[in-house]
Amino acid sequence: MTGLILGLLVTPLVMLLGTTSAYADDEGDTPAAASCLPKPDEVGCISGTLGSRADPIADADVTLTKPDGTTETQTTGDDGKFSFTITEDGEYLVGVDPETLPDGFEVRPPPANLRGPDGELKVQATVGGLRAANLEIRSADYDPSTSNWEEISQSGFNGLRLGLLLALASVGLSLIYGTTGLSNFAHAEQVTLGGMLAYLFVNQQGMPLLVGGLLVLVLCGFTGWFQDRVLWQPLRRRGLGLTQMMIVTIGLSLAIQYGYQFFVGSRTVRVIVDNPTVTSFGPITTTNQSLAAMVISAVVLAGVGFALLRTRIGRATRAVSDNPALAQASGIDTDKVIRLVWTVAMALAGLSGILYALVTNGIKWDTGLQILLLLFAAVTLGGLGTAFGALVGSLVIGFVVEMSPLLPFVPGDFKYAAALLILIVVLLVRPQGLLGKAQRVG
């Protein structure tokens, strides 16, 4: 039965087997300076542009320090672009010789969590991928007194964006737990599925983003309906315990992950190849794709909240979440409610995957695994089984993840750990979560 569900989830990805030859195009335009083209399992690229498209900085020496300590230097062309070819995974350092910059200009130091020992930019690159090295050039008379405010504003904005994207997935995860008591460890794989299917339909099949996105939502919602119909409902009727069912979700999660890796590979795939348009609001710089993703997330979450509070099916869902036995005795078809919850939850996770792929400029086989703990942290922090608690918890986790690297005692690599530490501290004070109800145990 599990194999049947796995087949349903990954069957659309079989079409990707014939698309590996187009991989270099998936990663976007490659800087012409070094004609670097990433190739799966062979070479990767680290690319960037000094200055802007309107005012590029030419004849500047950019140095790449490799994991083994060796260096390579390139001189930017008239378009200000540079591109290095790499042959091994690891952390690279990218810096600019200040003596080669035009008079009156300097390189802005990277954030603390991305700063090398001599002020270089840290870039974690992999073979087969294309990583951007965003070196910002600014006027030498720049007043650094405003840099802290800029970093706080930018990190706060990024935290809000991450929180909204996490909320799309965590609200569904919380509803599933509330109505069934099941902790679904395979939920994050639906986020990956949404991004992968969007890549298939929009990038590979050439569908418009809106049409492809709607099709992804329908397919992801159907996988939720199908899972409950052929797997979870029979297991519930057989009286299988929640612990055993949770183990099934772990196995399903691992199987789906390896399915992605088999059909798509370990590379990062992009939904839209074109470079996004950048927009600035005072100290905040973002892309139009990020703004659109935040608006869509907010509208959808508001719609889910309205449905839970104001519609008949929403009240039935809350009744099943509060007391399934009493809800069934009151005439509510709990199986239909649970199946609807699974359908909506998986559609929301798929939407989160589409938007996440657009915002982060790509998605890969383990994207869901990377955010799984954040989803559970958001659900637990907000209060198990409460959709609105999941929303609040997601926003808190998003802000903590993005803003914790600004603290001098929190290394950038520990930003996820900082979010989980906040979870532990809050639960010590309020075990039921921020919006959860206190319950007697024992």
Side-chain angles (χ1 to χ4, degrees):
M1 191 70 70
T2 303
L4 180 61
I5 296 177
L6 174 61
L8 176 70
L9 293 177
V10 301
T11 294
L13 302 179
V14 175
M15 298 174 61
L16 299 179
L17 284 174
T19 63
T20 55
S21 61
Y23 172 59
D25 295 333
D26 297 339
E27 300 298 341
D29 297 332
T30 303
S35 300
C36 178
L37 289 174
K39 297 179 181 179
D41 303 322
E42 294 185 21
V43 297
C45 301
I46 298 177
S47 306
T49 302
L50 294 187
S52 62
R53 292 185 178 181
D55 298 303
I57 297 178
D59 300 325
D61 291 340
V62 182
T63 300
L64 177 75
T65 303
K66 302 177 182 179
D68 60 6
T70 60
T71 61
E72 179 182 347
T73 301
Q74 287 187 7
T75 301
T76 58
D78 294 337
D79 56 3
K81 294 183 178 181
F82 61 90
S83 187
F84 294 95
T85 300
I86 64 170
T87 57
E88 61 177 325
D89 298 349
E91 184 178 85
Y92 292 78
L93 302 178
V94 183
V96 180
D97 183 356
E99 299 296 330
T100 62
L101 292 175
D103 293 339
F105 287 88
E106 65 180 11
V107 181
R108 179 181 179 181
N113 60 306
L114 298 177
R115 191 179 306 162
D118 296 322
E120 310 97 324
L121 174 67
K122 292 181 180 179
V123 178
Q124 193 71 31
T126 58
V127 173
L130 173 63
R131 293 303 304 271
N134 299 317
L135 297 170
E136 183 178 346
I137 307 299
R138 66 186 184 187
S139 174
D141 58 1
Y142 174 80
D143 183 6
S145 61
T146 60
S147 61
N148 290 337
W149 164 244
E150 289 180 358
E151 291 183 357
I152 293 174
S153 301
Q154 185 67 56
S155 297
F157 178 85
N158 294 341
L160 176 61
R161 181 183 63 189
L162 177 61
L164 289 173
L165 295 180
L166 291 176
L168 283 176
S170 64
V171 164
L173 181 62
S174 183
L175 287 173
I176 290 175
Y177 180 86
T179 54
T180 67
L182 175 64
S183 298
N184 181 20
F185 280 83
H187 192 78
E189 309 317 320
Q190 290 289 141
V191 177
T192 308
L193 180 64
M196 290 291 185
L197 290 178
Y199 161 73
L200 171 63
F201 295 136
V202 178
N203 189 317
Q204 296 300 308
Q205 303 302 319
M207 292 184 182
L209 180 59
L210 179 59
V211 176
L214 291 176
L215 183 57
V216 170
L217 294 185
V218 172
L219 286 177
C220 288
F222 176 73
T223 61
W225 178 91
F226 187 81
Q227 283 186 59
D228 184 69
R229 182 67 181 84
V230 304
L231 180 61
W232 306 120
Q233 184 187 48
L235 291 180
R236 289 196 301 270
R237 290 182 174 178
R238 289 175 180 237
L240 196 67
L242 291 176
T243 301
Q244 293 95 320
M245 293 176 69
M246 183 182 67
I247 294 174
V248 172
T249 69
I250 296 174
L252 184 60
S253 172
L254 294 174
I256 295 173
Q257 287 176 29
Y258 287 114
Y260 294 145
Q261 199 168 15
F262 176 79
F263 290 115
V264 185
S266 60
R267 69 185 190 271
T268 300
V269 295
R270 298 175 60 182
V271 177
I272 296 180
V273 177
D274 296 336
N275 293 325
T277 303
V278 178
T279 303
S280 296
F281 301 95
I284 298 174
T285 301
T286 186
T287 64
N288 290 345
Q289 291 181 359
S290 293
L291 292 176
M294 295 174 69
V295 172
I296 292 173
S297 299
V299 171
V300 171
L301 290 170
V304 172
F306 177 84
L308 288 173
L309 294 176
R310 300 296 183 182
T311 66
R312 183 177 180 181
I313 189 63
R315 290 191 290 269
T317 301
R318 289 188 288 122
V320 173
S321 180
D322 289 340
N323 193 323
L326 180 60
Q328 189 170 20
S330 302
I332 297 175
D333 191 334
T334 56
D335 281 336
K336 287 185 177 180
V337 171
I338 291 173
R339 190 163 303 145
L340 177 63
V341 167
W342 273 94
T343 302
V344 173
M346 296 307 168
L348 290 176
L351 176 60
S352 177
I354 299 173
L355 300 180
Y356 193 88
L358 293 174
V359 168
T360 61
N361 207 24
I363 198 163
K364 57 188 302 187
W365 69 276
D366 62 346
T367 297
L369 179 63
Q370 294 174 4
I371 66 172
L372 178 62
L373 287 180
L374 296 184
L375 294 179
F376 275 105
V379 170
T380 308
L381 179 63
L384 289 172
T386 61
F388 296 103
L391 171 60
V392 174
S394 297
L395 294 176
V396 172
I397 293 297
F399 279 113
V400 171
V401 167
E402 293 294 342
M403 300 196 71
S404 58
L406 299 180
L407 301 176
F409 53 85
V410 180
D413 294 339
F414 285 84
K415 61 181 182 180
Y416 288 171
L420 299 177
L421 179 61
I422 293 295
L423 168 66
I424 296 172
V425 172
V426 172
L427 293 182
L428 287 174
V429 178
R430 188 175 174 83
Q432 69 270 30
L434 297 176
L435 299 186
K437 297 179 181 179
Q439 298 181 356
R440 181 176 178 178
V441 179

